[in-house]
Amino acid sequence: MTISIITNCSGRKRDIGVAPLDLAHLEATSLAELPRLWVDGIRRASVRVTSMDLYQGRAFAECRAASRLTSAELYVISAGLGMVHADDLVPSYSLTISEGAGSLQKWMSNQNVNSADWWQALCESLETPNPVSTLINAQPIASQILIALPSSYLAMVVPDIDKVHPHRLESIRFFTSDAGVRVLPLRLRTAVMPYDERLEGIANHDGTRNDFPHRALKHFVTRLQGHHLSIDIAKKSVQLAMDSSVKRIIPKRGRATDEQIMELVRRNWSDYDGSASRLLRYLRDDAKVSCEQSRFSGLWRRIREDVSSQGVLNG
């Protein structure tokens, strides 16, 4: 059986020794021009690594592990690169549909376009229109396509995925949040694996909202061997696993400013050897401070830069 895994890129990227490509001086450009100019920059980039090596973070790591366990082909959905294979050589870049550095959100708002418009224009500039549905429609009949995407990335590519032929639907398994399910057209929702918050109660499969789809995929292939099951039996197996688990009680956490969070991290940097994962757990479990992983990652990098450049932490 041929197995393919499709997931999203990550904000965390490996330092490959050159400044990442960004949107500098391009933000005022229209939808008719920006994708073309961006793609020109991507194609001119000389320093490249495989996308497998570029992307960092738990979400991507979970899908990378799942691809190795199942001998699956791994593909990555990127707002900057389109859809790439894990072995494709790609440049480092800073462009995302999510919040944070390199975000397209302000530009899209000013242009009165959405992420799906951007995806279509980007893929046309890359000369790979509708890459997701094209890949799925070309797979052998005896195949499975495991798609682990958060709602934001599903919203970007759903017009593309909706071009999948009806007879290919039984080959697809979606792993996403409730918000992601709502993004999908009704005909595609039948392919959603019914994971929910009770996944948090299963040892070694708890985590953050950002990596929920990817943890669900990992559970599916490691605990359930779901890639060997028909779609109906796979859905029943997932439901049984959820019914056998207990929803984790999320402790109440207070809000804090960036400055307050950075001060807490600075004070405890040495105690946790600067480990991002351990410091985030400290904030949430001990300090009882609410902080999304993407937000924390940005603050943690700022402090790490202080440590690297000054050798000390400023109070």
Side-chain angles (χ1 to χ4, degrees):
M1 179 193 301
T2 300
I3 301 174
S4 300
I5 292 175
I6 301 175
T7 189
N8 55 294
C9 63
S10 62
R12 286 181 57 194
K13 298 179 180 67
R14 173 185 165 193
D15 183 353
I16 65 173
V18 295
L21 300 171
D22 59 32
L23 291 171
H25 310 304
L26 295 178
E27 291 183 353
T29 311
S30 69
L31 181 63
E33 287 295 316
L34 180 55
R36 181 182 63 79
L37 294 173
W38 175 258
V39 169
D40 286 345
I42 291 291
R43 288 173 173 163
R44 288 195 303 268
S46 58
V47 180
R48 297 170 180 264
V49 296
T50 64
S51 63
M52 176 82 78
D53 292 329
L54 179 64
Y55 298 117
Q56 308 289 301
R58 181 180 179 184
F60 190 74
E62 297 285 38
C63 291
R64 186 170 54 203
S67 72
R68 288 172 177 164
L69 288 168
T70 59
S71 299
E73 297 294 327
L74 178 60
Y75 296 88
V76 185
I77 299 294
S78 162
L81 303 176
M83 187 172 75
V84 295
H85 189 275
D87 293 332
D88 287 346
L89 293 173
V90 299
S92 183
Y93 65 98
S94 178
L95 187 147
T96 179
I97 57 169
S98 303
E99 295 179 355
S103 176
L104 282 169
Q105 289 188 1
K106 181 179 179 181
W107 175 84
M108 289 190 294
S109 177
N110 291 338
Q111 296 291 325
N112 195 30
V113 298
N114 58 35
S115 60
D117 297 325
W118 166 257
W119 178 254
Q120 180 180 356
L122 173 69
C123 292
E124 288 176 355
S125 294
L126 289 165
E127 299 178 347
T128 58
N130 303 311
V132 185
S133 57
T134 298
L135 172 72
I136 296 172
N137 289 334
Q139 294 301 298
I141 294 298
S143 63
Q144 281 197 21
I145 299 91
L146 312 179
I147 303 176
L149 293 174
S151 59
S152 57
Y153 277 83
L154 272 179
M156 181 173 74
V157 301
V158 75
D160 180 350
I161 298 178
D162 200 27
K163 292 180 172 61
V164 168
H165 296 153
H167 68 275
R168 302 300 304 153
L169 290 182
E170 287 196 6
S171 301
I172 300 174
R173 313 285 185 268
F174 283 108
F175 303 87
T176 190
S177 62
D178 288 344
V181 175
R182 291 193 292 272
V183 166
L184 290 171
L186 288 176
R187 79 181 189 102
L188 297 180
R189 294 182 189 180
T190 58
V192 174
M193 296 296 101
Y195 280 96
D196 57 40
E197 293 178 346
R198 288 172 291 181
L199 180 64
E200 309 300 330
I202 301 177
N204 301 319
H205 292 282
D206 57 332
T208 68
R209 290 181 181 178
N210 288 342
D211 54 35
F212 173 80
H214 319 84
R215 290 184 286 110
L217 167 63
K218 179 76 174 297
H219 177 270
F220 185 75
V221 301
T222 58
R223 294 289 189 93
L224 304 182
Q225 296 290 298
H227 53 294
H228 294 306
L229 305 175
S230 69
I231 190 167
D232 290 336
I233 295 177
K235 290 167 74 171
K236 290 178 181 177
S237 298
V238 171
Q239 192 61 61
L240 179 60
M242 294 300 95
D243 291 342
S244 301
S245 181
V246 178
K247 182 178 177 181
R248 187 179 67 177
I249 298 175
I250 306 297
K252 291 184 177 180
R253 301 186 178 103
R255 300 179 64 84
T257 65
D258 287 356
E259 290 72 21
Q260 290 170 331
I261 290 174
M262 290 176 71
E263 176 61 22
L264 285 169
V265 173
R266 286 191 181 100
R267 289 180 188 174
N268 292 274
W269 185 271
S270 298
D271 291 343
Y272 293 94
D273 297 321
S275 168
S277 59
R278 293 173 63 197
L279 283 164
L280 181 55
R281 289 261 59 93
Y282 157 75
L283 277 179
R284 292 173 170 173
D285 298 343
D286 298 331
K288 296 295 190 291
V289 170
S290 175
C291 186
E292 288 290 334
Q293 186 172 12
S294 57
R295 177 190 178 199
F296 175 80
S297 295
L299 300 177
W300 178 83
R301 284 195 293 269
R302 287 166 59 183
I303 297 173
R304 183 184 61 178
E305 289 171 2
D306 288 344
V307 175
S308 298
S309 62
Q310 301 176 25
V312 297
L313 294 176
N314 297 321

